[in-house]
Amino acid sequence: MTTAPIAISIESEGSVWGLGLQPAGCDVCARGFLVPAERVGQRCPACGRGTLGPQPALMRPEPPELVVAFRKRPEDLPDLLRPFVNAVWLRPDDLAVEKLAQRAVPVLWPMWLVDGKVVGAWEAELGFDYQVESARESLAGGQWRSEKMLETRIRWEPRAGQLARAYDNVATPALSDHERWLRLGGSYPDTEAQAASAESLHGALLVIPEVLPEAAWSLAKAQLDERAASDCQAAAGAQHVRRIGLRADYRDTRWTQLLLPAYLTTYTDDEGRVHPVLVNGATGRIGGRRFASQSKGLRLAGLVGLGAVLALMVGLVLLAIGALLPPVALLGGLILVAALGLGLAALWPALWPWQWNRGQPRSE
Amino acid sequence: MNASDPLPHAWQPPPDFVAVASALEGVTVFAPRPVETAAPAPRTYRCPQCGAATEFNVAAGGIACEHCGYRAQTEAGAPHAEHLEFTLEALAAGAQGWGVTRRQLHCEACGADLALAEGALTATCPFCASSQVNVRAAAGDSVRPGGVAPFSVVPEAVRAKAHTWLGSGWFHPAGLAASARLDSFVGVYLPFWLFGAHLTAGWKAEVGHEETESYLDTRDMKRKTRQVVRWRWESGQAGVDVINLPIAGSSRVNSSVLSDILPFDLGAIQAFSPDFLAGWQAQGYDVPLPKAWEEGKAHMREQAQGACRAQIRSGHVRNFHMTVDFGDETWRYVLLPVYVSAYRFDGKIFQVMVNGQTGAVAGQKPVAWAKVWAAIALMLAPGLLLSLIGLPLLLAAGLGLVPLGIGVVLFVAGLVGSFILYTRVAQNERGVARSE
């Protein structure tokens, strides 16, 4: 008996969970949020290009069950962002600590929490550790010395049985780009999850789940199976599993949400492309692509190159004078060498942004 | 939420699975039925036709009744006894008894423990020919035999072989074969531990290589050659597979006699069945597994040392040291067939054994020491005589160097021959006289 609840449609004017939030969506990236009414019409924090407009959403009526609290406050952001930004030498003007911190929007992004019972039968091949005594013997000086050693081996045996176990809070992705969020912000300390309340959700935009329970069920089921298999192994007292088969019914499933904190901000590069930056609201880890400014590099290279040309000209003049006053020729030669060095150094700022940008991930 | 749902009733565990303890509420666990380790119920071997006692008949290869001719083929078990690992439990001496409840008889004269068939309260001890036996409770903490090699030599053939063996040899009392009573051969299954292992040995030593070098002799300023030994460190590795190394599980039998009737045909070992023991004696082990394994390891490491030494292409070796890593160690506890008898001669007891598979005979024989000393005297006499003639001639007249030299050589040769003779007959008396 497999059960996955059906999502229902929440209209734009509805007030979700009694929190005074309403669904809104970005007209560019289509990301959906639950936002206070005054947020409607503002820039999308996810892509930084579109604006949030009223938009109906398909979602479950149950309020979030758990939330990981923001441990990083907005005033902490400049200090967190500074190393991230300063790592880029020739950065775009928009990639600045103050601008990123000013644009940062606190959001809570969701994972499904599934509770359910697994009732069925199982068969497995389980491994049990046992120890055997072995030996290493050494001959030195005509005398044998024996050293006993204990070696742990695995005895594989079949087991079968039935189970009826209840599992709470099996976390399952609720966003289609769940992996990307984790890649950017890193993992969250799940031990810090606490019961969700109006206070704990206040002030943040809530990302609406895109993966509906019907679609997330296969992942949730796999995790329930995994927990059940682990329980079967523990019940049998085995240390290893080589194969396990489960024929089970899944009963009384209940779907709620776990909300994870993040700050979303953006910057625009020289070519006008907007790049998102994510700050983990619990750990402070920052993720996002950082592009250097190619135009800044070229400008700096031009300035250095101009200096090289001037030095070249001065050097040549001094060489000409050196035909009459030989000591001046020596000075001219030194200036010519310096001009050559400057000319070579002018290549560095021209090439550095290209090299840096090549090192950035192809996708976020 | 709690797991209050009842478990599905329709499910049935796989065949021959039984419920075992579960460490978690809400999960039941079934495991294959464990192999029965307790001794099965006592069995009495009686003829289904006439009710007389039956026994395992070597010629028939099964249970037979001598009274009515009933024959029942013993079911062939697994071809080999299972190889077991050195688990801590095994080394702690498993506490299983025999496949069939048997009375343990303890010989007060020689201390041998004999497992005798049901109903036998006294018997002539095959090891000392004594009838001083008392019933003693069998030790309950012994490992049960995993295999048995049935007798393949019939008792009638044993007597003939033993008499032939007894009458052979020069330095034994005349009439030994005629006067010694060697009729009461008893077929006994003796306990053996069979060990196997893969040894990985590494060695390092200073090896000397003989080389010819030329040098300038300053006395006559000529270049000459001489042999020198150049030492250098060498190392190597050797792998040795040891299979079925037998170590006797009984300390009551004469080990030198026993080792001389080896080898047994271990390929004939079958999974243990009480049928093979019906009507025969069998001895339980009194050398425990850990002690036997230590002895087995000593044999194995000597083999490994031999393999390492064989890699050294020189007779000059010093600072030799090596390590041996044991791997894939296995053991088996099996019963191997031996005919045992003892006879009295001149007030002394001598033991004889016959391999129950190959018919090899070995045992102790009394020595006619008068014959031995006479032979030794004959060997020493020529050399001594020539020396006694040559020495006065040399001292008195400056002659006799040749007879003296020949005499000394003959005397030394006589000494060597005497030593060899003495050693061999002494071994005969202790128990390594052997014949196929």
Side-chain angles (χ1 to χ4, degrees):
Chain A
M1 237 175 304
T2 302
T3 51
I6 304 301
I8 60 171
S9 175
I10 305 293
E11 297 301 327
S12 58
E13 58 271 19
S15 175
V16 182
W17 304 324
L19 297 174
L21 302 174
Q22 67 178 68
C26 173
D27 55 358
V28 174
C29 70
R31 175 79 67 189
F33 294 91
L34 293 175
V35 299
E38 62 268 21
R39 277 282 191 175
V40 176
Q42 292 188 1
R43 199 156 73 147
C44 171
C47 67
R49 289 172 292 170
T51 53
L52 296 177
Q55 173 180 295
L58 274 174
M59 57 184 297
R60 289 293 304 158
E62 294 90 353
E65 183 179 353
L66 296 173
V67 61
V68 175
F70 277 96
R71 294 185 62 136
K72 303 298 176 187
R73 295 165 299 172
E75 51 267 37
D76 297 331
L77 289 178
D79 288 340
L80 293 171
L81 288 164
R82 193 158 289 116
F84 176 80
V85 169
N86 289 348
V88 190
W89 172 35
L90 295 165
R91 52 187 173 269
D93 291 337
D94 206 35
L95 182 56
V97 172
E98 295 73 22
K99 290 179 179 175
L100 288 175
Q102 188 183 6
R103 292 187 198 120
V105 175
V107 300
L108 289 164
W109 61 281
M111 287 186 73
W112 290 116
L113 286 180
V114 184
D115 302 339
K117 291 178 183 173
V118 181
V119 180
W122 61 276
E123 281 190 22
E125 193 175 7
L126 302 178
F128 299 86
D129 285 342
Y130 68 99
Q131 287 189 310
V132 295
E133 189 179 288
S134 190
R136 179 188 178 88
E137 310 228 340
S138 309
L139 174 68
Q143 295 290 318
W144 282 100
R145 193 168 54 84
S146 185
E147 181 186 354
K148 287 185 179 174
M149 292 179 293
L150 287 181
E151 183 182 324
T152 300
R153 295 181 184 169
I154 302 172
R155 184 179 61 248
W156 294 100
E157 292 183 5
R159 291 287 187 273
Q162 293 174 284
L163 84 160
R165 298 278 295 173
Y167 300 100
D168 290 343
N169 297 336
V170 174
T172 306
L175 298 179
S176 58
D177 56 350
H178 174 89
E179 290 300 325
R180 172 182 162 269
W181 286 73
L182 280 182
R183 195 170 55 247
L184 290 174
S187 59
Y188 285 82
D190 51 3
T191 53
E192 293 186 5
Q194 58 194 38
S197 63
E199 291 75 30
S200 61
L201 306 182
H202 181 71
L205 307 190
L206 274 57
V207 182
I208 294 176
E210 299 162 345
V211 181
L212 299 178
E214 301 92 307
W217 170 241
S218 61
L219 287 173
K221 178 173 164 292
Q223 292 206 54
L224 285 169
D225 287 351
E226 195 175 317
R227 287 204 191 182
S230 177
D231 278 356
C232 294
Q233 177 188 349
Q239 291 77 40
H240 312 274
V241 179
R242 189 147 68 184
R243 176 192 61 79
I244 189 161
L246 192 65
R247 296 190 308 278
D249 289 337
Y250 306 88
R251 300 175 182 171
D252 304 337
T253 53
R254 178 168 169 266
W255 292 71
T256 57
Q257 287 181 41
L258 164 68
L259 297 178
L260 303 168
Y263 290 97
L264 296 181
T265 183
T266 55
Y267 72 93
T268 306
D269 66 15
D270 285 349
E271 297 172 15
R273 293 174 303 189
V274 179
H275 300 285
V277 174
L278 185 147
V279 182
N280 187 315
T283 64
R285 177 177 153 171
I286 303 172
R289 291 192 291 175
R290 291 169 288 182
F291 286 98
S293 171
Q294 189 67 57
S295 59
K296 270 191 177 179
L298 291 174
R299 278 202 300 276
L300 183 58
L303 282 174
V304 176
L306 183 62
V309 170
L310 288 175
L312 178 68
M313 292 172 67
V314 170
L316 289 173
V317 169
L318 290 176
L319 275 180
I321 296 171
L324 301 172
L325 291 171
V328 176
L330 179 64
L331 180 62
L334 289 173
I335 291 175
L336 279 178
V337 171
L340 183 63
L342 273 176
L344 290 173
L347 292 174
W348 180 240
L351 293 176
W352 188 87
W354 173 80
Q355 179 66 22
W356 171 270
N357 292 343
R358 275 188 66 201
Q360 295 303 300
R362 288 184 174 273
S363 60
E364 290 162 359
Chain B
M1 181 182 288
N2 57 50
S4 57
D5 286 30
L7 293 168
H9 291 297
W11 182 82
Q12 290 293 324
D16 217 25
F17 271 50
V18 294
V20 295
S22 169
L24 272 186
E25 189 185 352
V27 184
T28 61
V29 183
F30 288 78
R33 187 182 302 280
V35 176
E36 195 64 57
T37 53
R43 289 174 62 179
T44 303
Y45 287 88
R46 292 196 179 281
C47 178
Q49 293 181 172
C50 69
T54 55
E55 63 180 30
F56 181 82
N57 186 287
V58 177
I63 298 295
C65 175
E66 290 186 355
H67 295 272
C68 68
Y70 168 77
R71 294 280 188 278
Q73 199 69 25
T74 297
E75 285 184 21
H80 300 290
E82 185 185 6
H83 292 260
L84 302 169
E85 295 174 294
F86 283 91
T87 61
L88 299 184
E89 293 80 6
L91 286 170
Q96 286 93 37
W98 287 78
V100 173
T101 299
R102 304 171 69 84
R103 289 182 190 277
Q104 188 97 2
L105 300 180
H106 181 68
C107 177
E108 294 292 333
C110 73
D113 285 328
L114 305 169
L116 298 186
E118 188 79 19
L121 297 176
T122 61
T124 299
C125 176
F127 301 106
C128 66
S130 170
S131 61
Q132 303 296 317
V133 289
N134 286 320
V135 176
R136 196 180 78 169
D141 58 349
S142 52
V143 176
R144 225 167 3 138
V148 59
F151 280 92
S152 54
V153 176
V154 295
E156 293 74 18
V158 171
R159 288 190 200 99
K161 283 175 179 286
H163 276 286
T164 305
W165 169 81
L166 205 56
S168 65
W170 292 351
F171 299 104
H172 305 292
L176 174 64
S179 58
R181 289 201 58 190
L182 252 178
D183 296 330
S184 54
F185 268 96
V186 178
V188 183
Y189 284 102
L190 291 181
F192 275 86
W193 302 102
L194 302 181
F195 296 117
H198 175 75
L199 312 182
T200 306
W203 62 270
K204 193 174 180 185
E206 274 188 286
V207 179
H209 297 271
E210 291 181 1
E211 294 176 5
T212 304
E213 69 171 16
S214 65
Y215 70 102
L216 180 65
D217 190 338
T218 53
R219 288 171 297 185
D220 54 8
M221 297 307 288
K222 289 184 178 175
R223 293 208 68 81
K224 298 179 179 176
T225 59
R226 64 185 173 193
Q227 292 284 322
V228 293
V229 177
R230 306 269 187 221
W231 293 94
R232 58 173 177 260
W233 283 99
E234 292 184 5
S235 62
Q237 287 193 323
V240 178
D241 281 311
V242 182
I243 302 167
N244 288 331
L245 174 72
I247 300 293
S250 171
S251 63
R252 305 297 180 189
V253 292
N254 187 310
S255 57
S256 60
V257 175
L258 185 59
S259 64
D260 215 44
I261 61 168
L262 297 178
F264 286 92
D265 177 13
L266 301 177
I269 292 176
Q270 300 187 30
F272 178 77
S273 164
D275 287 1
F276 293 118
L277 273 55
W280 298 81
Q281 291 193 15
Q283 191 180 11
Y285 67 86
D286 61 1
V287 177
L289 174 60
K291 186 179 175 187
W293 176 227
E294 288 302 320
E295 188 181 341
K297 280 196 292 187
H299 284 287
M300 290 182 182
R301 70 193 183 202
E302 294 305 324
Q303 288 187 33
Q305 187 176 0
C308 291
R309 286 277 191 174
Q311 293 180 347
I312 301 175
R313 306 288 183 199
S314 171
H316 304 284
V317 181
R318 68 186 185 194
N319 292 324
F320 180 86
H321 54 268
M322 62 178 291
T323 58
V324 181
D325 287 314
F326 285 74
D328 301 331
E329 305 98 322
T330 60
W331 63 275
R332 292 193 287 171
Y333 173 41
V334 298
L335 298 177
L336 301 179
V338 172
Y339 287 101
V340 183
S341 187
Y343 62 94
R344 288 177 184 272
F345 187 85
D346 201 16
K348 291 183 180 175
I349 297 170
F350 299 91
Q351 199 175 73
V352 182
M353 285 189 195
V354 180
N355 188 314
Q357 289 182 300
T358 63
V361 186
Q364 298 164 302
K365 275 186 187 180
V367 174
W369 284 106
K371 293 182 183 177
V372 175
W373 294 125
I376 289 174
L378 278 174
M379 281 192 280
L380 295 177
L384 197 60
L385 199 61
L386 276 176
S387 298
L388 288 174
I389 294 169
L391 188 61
L393 285 174
L394 184 66
L395 293 174
L399 302 172
L401 186 61
V402 173
L404 179 63
I406 295 172
V408 169
V409 170
L410 285 176
F411 187 71
V412 171
L415 278 177
V416 172
S418 300
F419 178 77
I420 292 171
L421 175 64
Y422 179 86
T423 308
R424 293 194 65 170
V425 295
Q427 283 177 342
N428 271 205
E429 195 173 44
R430 286 199 302 271
V432 291
R434 184 175 196 275
S435 81
E436 296 295 335

